[in-house]
Structures are given as C-alpha cells and as structure tokens.
Amino acid sequence: SRWDPIEEKLRPAPVPRTESPRSRASDGPRFDAHKVLEAMGAEASVFSRLRVLRRELEGFKGSSLETVRQMVEVFPEGCARRRAAAALLEAGIPSNPRDAVDLVEDFDKEIDRRWCLGILARSGRLRGRELERALEMLSSPAARRRVEAAAELG
C-alpha cells in the first residue's frame, strides 16, 4: 500500500543482542564477570541491565564482595540499585552473610537497607552477629521488629 514506505521509516531499528558472556568452549560454559559488567554497561536502559543481571546470576555465585559491589554500582542510585542488590541477595549472592550485610550497609538511604535486610532475613542468613549488625542499621523500632521476626522465621 502507499503507507509501506512510511511504516518502514517509523519502525525502530532492531536492537542488537549482546552476546552471552559465557564462552562456547568444548569444556563447558565459562563465566567472565568483566564481560557481564561490560554487557550491562552497554545497555541503554536500566530495565535491560536488570535483565542481563538476572540472566547471568548463576555465574556470580561464589563471587567476591568487590565483584558484587561492581555489579550493583553499574546501576544508578536509588530504586534501580536496590533492585539489583535485591536480585543478587535473593539468589544468595554473596553467599557469606557478613559480605551480604556489608553490601547492604553500602546503601545511603535506610529504605534501601530495610528492603534488602528484609530479603536477607527471610532467606535465613541473618543470625547472631550479622542480625545485630542489621538491626543497628535501622532507626525505626517497627522495622527492627519486622526484620527480627523475619529472621526468626527464615
């Protein structure tokens, strides 16, 4: 029809897919954290970065706290960074409870810390000294009670 040329001009250009950071070597997939960080940094939208992060979560198990911090810092401060940290914490990354609490402690806003501490508490990873540290990060008595109750159930 006479509208075809216009429709072609109005269609958005296809978005090139970023190659998975896992190699296709014969000895099995290999994970490269730096390639994932580069792939996330190359994404224009925060939503796309979160998708890359969630797709590659399994590969980050056992990563150092510094690597996990780099992953979170790829996201802008605020809700996006909190969601990235939440995805990592829900996946059990970092696996060491002390490192997980250290990651949460990096947040400036209490609402971000409260959100992430709730995830840690429900996962059952807040016990003993780490639970005490977590509760010290919260100024609200009600928030402390909720985190403590979740940790008991977790």
Side-chain angles (χ1 to χ4, degrees):
S1 81
R2 65 183 188 153
W3 298 107
D4 288 342
I6 293 174
E7 287 178 8
E8 285 299 318
K9 290 178 185 176
L10 295 177
R11 280 192 196 142
V15 178
R17 292 186 57 88
T18 56
E19 200 172 304
S20 174
R22 299 176 188 278
S23 77
R24 304 290 182 222
S26 60
D27 61 343
R30 295 176 57 193
F31 181 76
D32 186 344
H34 295 291
K35 286 187 180 180
V36 174
L37 289 167
E38 287 175 12
M40 286 189 347
E43 294 293 338
S45 76
V46 172
F47 180 72
S48 296
R49 287 180 192 172
L50 281 168
R51 284 193 332 204
V52 171
L53 173 67
R54 288 187 182 279
R55 182 178 65 225
E56 300 297 336
L57 276 175
E58 192 63 32
F60 277 96
K61 293 199 178 207
S63 293
S64 70
L65 177 59
E66 189 56 38
T67 300
V68 174
R69 280 184 170 137
Q70 288 176 346
M71 286 291 272
V72 172
E73 289 169 1
V74 169
F75 295 87
E77 285 190 43
C79 180
R81 193 170 284 185
R82 180 181 68 220
R83 287 183 180 276
L88 290 160
L89 294 170
E90 287 168 347
I93 303 167
S95 58
N96 181 328
R98 185 203 287 153
D99 289 345
V101 173
D102 286 346
L103 179 68
V104 173
E105 203 168 29
D106 290 344
F107 284 103
D108 292 331
K109 295 182 180 176
E110 184 170 334
I111 190 168
D112 297 329
R113 292 191 302 268
R114 192 170 55 224
W115 182 299
C116 293
L117 290 173
I119 292 168
L120 282 175
R122 287 187 301 275
S123 73
R125 294 193 288 160
L126 283 182
R127 301 273 185 245
R129 178 68 191 128
E130 302 317 318
L131 177 57
E132 290 173 22
R133 283 182 58 210
L135 296 175
E136 289 170 5
M137 286 186 235
L138 303 171
S139 63
S140 163
R144 285 196 295 268
R145 283 193 303 271
R146 283 193 302 271
V147 167
E148 196 168 24
E152 287 176 11
L153 295 174

